[in-house]
């Protein structure tokens, strides 16, 4: 069985979730529903760091903002890629609410997709992509 990781928006516990059960996922600690967009989990900086520490697979992150037109076009493609690829954990981080993290990572333009493995950045791609482009980015690592 394939799995992903998501942080609970209520208690901020990291949960390992079977992909097949993601639609009805609940937090193992507080029993709150865990919401996904496709198989993409939206996280804050602290939850992002927790997931990087526990993930046994690459973590691919879409850095975005609500005012960004290309981000709005890219979001559904990123979600589509999350459903097509079980070899990575898919996360979204809002750069407006997580400005310190965006600054620390040197994000200069959005959307920006970064792949992390073993807690370290290994690949970065600026701009919107198709779901096929996201999958190609993942297979290139």
């Amino acid at each position: 069985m394939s799995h992903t990781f998501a942080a609970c928006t209520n208690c901020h516990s990291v949960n390992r979730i079977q992909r097949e059960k993601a639609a009805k996922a609940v937090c193992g600690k507080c029993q709150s529903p865990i919401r996904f967009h496709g198989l993409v989990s939206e996280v804050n900086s602290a939850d992002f760091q927790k997931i990087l520490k526990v993930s046994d697979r690459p973590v691919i992150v879409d850095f975005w903002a609500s005012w960004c037109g290309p981000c709005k076009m890219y979001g559904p493609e990123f979600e589509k890629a999350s459903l097509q690829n079980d070899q990575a954990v898919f996360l979204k981080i809002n750069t407006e609410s997580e400005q310190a993290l965006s600054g620390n990572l040197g994000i200069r333009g959005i959307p920006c997709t970064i792949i992390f493995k073993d807690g370290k950045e290994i690949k970065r791609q600026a701009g919107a992509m198709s779901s096929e482009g996201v999958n190609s980015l993942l297979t290139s690592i």
Side-chain angles (χ1 to χ4, degrees):
M1 281 188 150
S2 181
H3 64 274
T4 189
F5 291 92
C8 175
T9 55
N10 185 46
C11 72
H12 299 282
S13 293
V14 173
N15 292 265
R16 179 179 163 153
I17 298 165
Q18 297 305 317
R19 290 173 59 89
E20 303 80 29
K21 297 179 181 179
K24 296 181 182 180
V26 295
C27 176
K29 184 175 181 182
C30 74
Q31 302 305 305
S32 294
I34 295 181
R35 299 186 195 337
F36 285 95
H37 307 277
L39 282 169
V40 179
S41 177
E42 189 162 347
V43 296
N44 63 26
S45 295
D47 295 339
F48 164 69
Q49 295 298 334
K50 289 179 196 174
I51 291 172
L52 280 185
K53 287 180 183 173
V54 301
S55 183
D56 56 351
R57 54 192 61 209
V59 177
I60 183 167
V61 186
D62 170 18
F63 290 89
W64 68 287
S66 61
W67 52 262
C68 169
C71 296
K72 290 178 184 176
M73 293 182 339
Y74 179 47
E77 291 296 312
F78 191 73
E79 291 169 18
K80 185 176 171 185
S82 75
L83 296 169
Q84 297 168 338
N85 192 312
D86 63 357
Q87 301 302 311
V89 174
F90 285 74
L91 303 177
K92 287 181 76 128
I93 295 178
N94 186 330
T95 58
E96 291 178 301
S97 56
E98 301 299 332
Q99 292 180 12
L101 176 62
S102 301
N104 290 342
L105 291 172
I107 295 171
R108 303 283 179 245
I110 52 174
C112 181
T113 305
I114 303 178
I115 302 175
F116 299 85
K117 190 169 183 181
D118 300 322
K120 306 230 185 298
E121 179 179 333
I122 58 169
K123 193 133 189 146
R124 179 182 293 228
Q125 177 69 46
M129 295 177 273
S130 66
S131 60
E132 293 83 9
V134 175
N135 288 325
S136 292
L137 189 66
L138 278 167
T139 57
S140 72
I141 60 170

